[in-house]
Amino acid sequence: MPRGPRRRNRSDSPDGQAGKGEHELVEKVVFINRSAKVVKGGRRFNFSALVVVGDKKGRVGVGLGKAGEVADAIRKGGESARNSMVSVSLKDATIPHEAFFHYGGAKVLLRPASPGTGIIAGKTVRSVLESAGVKDVLSKSLGSNNAANVVKATLNALLSLRLQEDIYRSRGLEVRKKTPAVAVAPIALAAAPHETIGGIPVE
């Protein structure tokens, strides 16, 4: 008996771009912690996952998920991060100005860098910067190396960034457009005739 046409998978789309919005977001697991509770029958483990989600276009979010399994903790953390995504101000592939922020015992310093520098940062700070879309930046993590505090300090440092246009607009000023520099031709000075004393030129 011939079989009928094979049923298309629900996740498949005619143009082959199923879940395009889901794939645009980048999800990074920063830290997984395991805690144990001693009960009558032994030890009961619980996991917490710190997840960073971003679209690499100026939007990033951080979430913490807790569950009895690692996969469930990561899933909850990802959902929390997607629901708490915020927009940050970027200038091309770097940040508009220097930023310093501390959260708890963690302190994070961010500085703009020239094109081609890359992300000079540790693993925790790098995950937030890459998810936000920063490609060239200099950073230094000071104080505590607690992953949760470092991530929140980095996120707050990004939120404190402001573009020049936004500052002018908030003050009711017009943004001055940079006028191209006009090259000035050098003026040729006429050389004064040399005086001579006894046939010897004197300037």
Side-chain angles (χ1 to χ4, degrees):
M1 182 176 180
R3 296 183 179 179
R6 190 174 65 176
R7 185 176 298 175
R8 179 177 293 175
N9 192 356
R10 294 181 179 179
S11 61
D12 296 339
S13 60
D15 55 358
Q17 297 180 356
K20 185 177 180 181
E22 292 290 335
H23 294 297
E24 288 180 353
L25 297 178
V26 178
E27 182 176 304
K28 296 179 180 293
V29 180
V30 179
F31 183 73
I32 296 178
N33 185 44
R34 186 186 72 173
S35 60
K37 178 182 179 181
V38 179
V39 295
K40 185 177 180 180
R43 289 189 297 176
R44 182 178 300 173
F45 294 102
N46 194 30
F47 299 91
S48 61
L50 184 64
V51 183
V52 177
V53 175
D55 61 355
K56 292 189 175 183
K57 296 179 181 179
R59 297 186 71 245
V60 63
V62 178
L64 180 66
K66 298 180 181 181
E69 299 292 337
V70 177
D72 294 337
I74 295 176
R75 177 180 55 82
K76 290 182 179 180
E79 293 176 355
S80 176
R82 289 186 182 90
N83 295 331
S84 62
M85 292 184 68
V86 293
S87 299
V88 297
S89 300
L90 302 179
K91 184 179 180 182
D92 297 331
T94 184
I95 57 179
H97 57 82
E98 180 178 315
F100 178 78
F101 207 93
H102 64 88
Y103 187 94
K107 303 175 183 178
V108 174
L109 172 65
L110 303 178
R111 285 182 177 176
S114 58
T117 304
I119 300 178
I120 310 300
K123 175 185 175 182
T124 307
V125 179
R126 177 188 295 268
S127 61
V128 180
L129 297 176
E130 286 182 346
S131 300
V134 182
K135 297 181 180 179
D136 302 306
V137 69
L138 303 173
S139 71
K140 183 66 177 178
S141 178
L142 308 169
S144 172
N145 60 354
N146 181 274
N149 290 344
V150 172
V151 166
K152 293 177 182 178
T154 307
L155 182 60
N156 288 330
L158 291 177
L159 291 175
S160 66
L161 298 175
R162 299 178 66 189
L163 294 174
Q164 180 183 7
E165 294 80 4
D166 298 335
I167 298 175
Y168 274 63
R169 193 179 300 111
S170 64
R171 298 178 181 177
L173 303 175
E174 295 183 0
V175 180
R176 298 179 181 176
K177 296 182 179 180
K178 295 182 179 180
T179 57
V182 180
V184 179
I187 301 175
L189 300 177
H194 297 285
E195 299 180 357
T196 58
I197 300 177
I200 301 175
V202 179
E203 296 183 357

